[in-house]
Amino acid sequence: MKAVLFDLDGIITDTAGYHFLAWKSLAKKLGMELDEEFNEQLKGVSRTDSLELILKRGQLENTVTLAEKERLAASKNEVYNQMIKQMNASDSLPGIESLLIDLKTNHFLLGLASASQNGPAILKKLGLYDLFDTIVNPAELSAGKPDPEIFQKAAEQLGCSVSECVGIEDAAADVESINRAKMVSIAVGDKEVLHAADKVIKTTNELTVDLIKTIWTECCEIN
Ligand code: BG6
Ligand code: MG
């Protein structure tokens, strides 16, 4: 194992709720109610693709112009940024900061494979930016998760082969992205939802360098 690739929202920090609230408020202005169940489809999905899904749900996809879509996406991002304004070093999920430091101390490379264009700014707010060796720019991808491109790109940027990487995610479609990149996948959350992962754990607190190395080694022995 040479590198560990992290999702941001739901793994490094708990921003998923803010994304939901910001979309909910935008949808309300469009005359729609969004519930948690629908929100599951938005996890890991880019800003523009999320907007498309919401417009489709309200059967508005053909009535909104491209310029209007850009305005709506920008206004959601403004609301979201307002919500995360106070975010600071205390807002990383349990165990994440010490895990990242331990991984660096053990000379593993760290990559961010997040669909969020706010990724670098959020890592800076959390005081974790300097620990990362690479951050994939989601705006440069031709396809979002569950396509494997974002994880393949992270490995390429780090100069690693996919077999040397482990990916960590919290949503089912995103686990698929890691698996399709032929990397070892670790999921944090509900075992029933995330069963496709090589290993599912309940909370980020359980993630240690030893656990990640053991999962990677076991997967290499099987394959
Ligand atoms: C993903 C989130 O990490 O980033 C999605 O799970 C979000 O909910 C996507 O839509 C894009 O984020 P941003 O910050 O670029 O709007
Ligand atoms: Mg996530």
Side-chain angles (χ1 to χ4, degrees):
M1 178 175 107
K2 281 196 181 158
V4 184
L5 310 178
F6 287 82
D7 176 34
L8 176 76
D9 298 305
I11 292 294
I12 291 180
T13 184
D14 196 10
T15 37
Y18 296 127
H19 277 297
F20 175 48
L21 289 176
W23 283 127
K24 206 173 154 68
S25 123
L26 183 100
K28 201 160 192 166
K29 286 182 203 149
L30 296 168
M32 269 182 267
E33 280 299 329
L34 292 192
D35 56 24
E36 302 251 2
E37 196 188 337
F38 177 77
N39 186 53
E40 274 306 304
Q41 294 176 42
L42 304 181
K43 286 189 180 168
V45 175
S46 73
R47 200 180 308 161
T48 42
D49 289 350
S50 297
L51 178 64
E52 287 297 339
L53 288 172
I54 292 166
L55 292 175
K56 210 167 171 190
R57 185 177 162 90
Q59 296 174 327
L60 293 170
E61 73 268 37
N62 297 322
T63 58
V64 178
T65 64
L66 191 60
E68 180 67 0
K69 283 180 188 173
E70 279 170 14
R71 200 192 61 74
L72 291 171
S75 105
K76 181 267 172 179
N77 194 44
E78 261 171 47
V79 173
Y80 174 71
N81 272 296
Q82 202 56 38
M83 288 172 172
I84 61 167
K85 213 172 174 180
Q86 308 300 332
M87 198 173 228
N88 59 49
S90 70
D91 287 309
S92 57
L93 278 165
I96 286 294
E97 186 179 6
S98 58
L99 171 71
L100 295 175
I101 293 170
D102 287 352
L103 284 165
K104 289 298 311 170
T105 310
N106 285 280
H107 309 292
F108 292 109
L109 295 167
L110 300 183
L112 188 76
S114 166
S116 174
Q117 299 190 42
N118 292 299
I122 291 177
L123 287 183
K124 281 177 193 161
K125 281 177 195 280
L126 297 172
L128 302 174
Y129 182 84
D130 292 338
L131 291 168
F132 280 81
D133 299 284
T134 200
I135 295 176
V136 177
N137 180 355
E140 288 173 1
L141 301 172
S142 51
K145 300 169 187 178
D147 191 278
E149 186 182 4
I150 191 165
F151 283 96
Q152 289 163 337
K153 187 93 186 161
E156 186 190 314
Q157 287 178 197
L158 290 171
C160 296
S161 72
V162 290
S163 63
E164 294 166 329
C165 299
V166 172
I168 307 181
E169 279 284 3
D170 69 317
D174 306 347
V175 167
E176 185 184 333
S177 176
I178 306 175
N179 290 349
R180 282 169 60 190
K182 301 209 178 330
M183 292 178 184
V184 171
S185 55
I186 300 178
V188 182
D190 185 338
K191 212 170 181 162
E192 282 187 19
V193 179
L194 303 167
H195 56 84
D198 292 307
K199 174 83 180 175
V200 184
I201 53 171
K202 283 201 185 99
T203 68
T204 50
N205 237 339
E206 294 166 52
L207 289 166
T208 61
V209 176
D210 279 348
L211 179 76
I212 298 171
K213 268 171 38 185
T214 305
I215 296 167
W216 181 81
T217 309
E218 282 172 4
C219 288
C220 290
E221 281 164 4
I222 297 167
N223 298 315

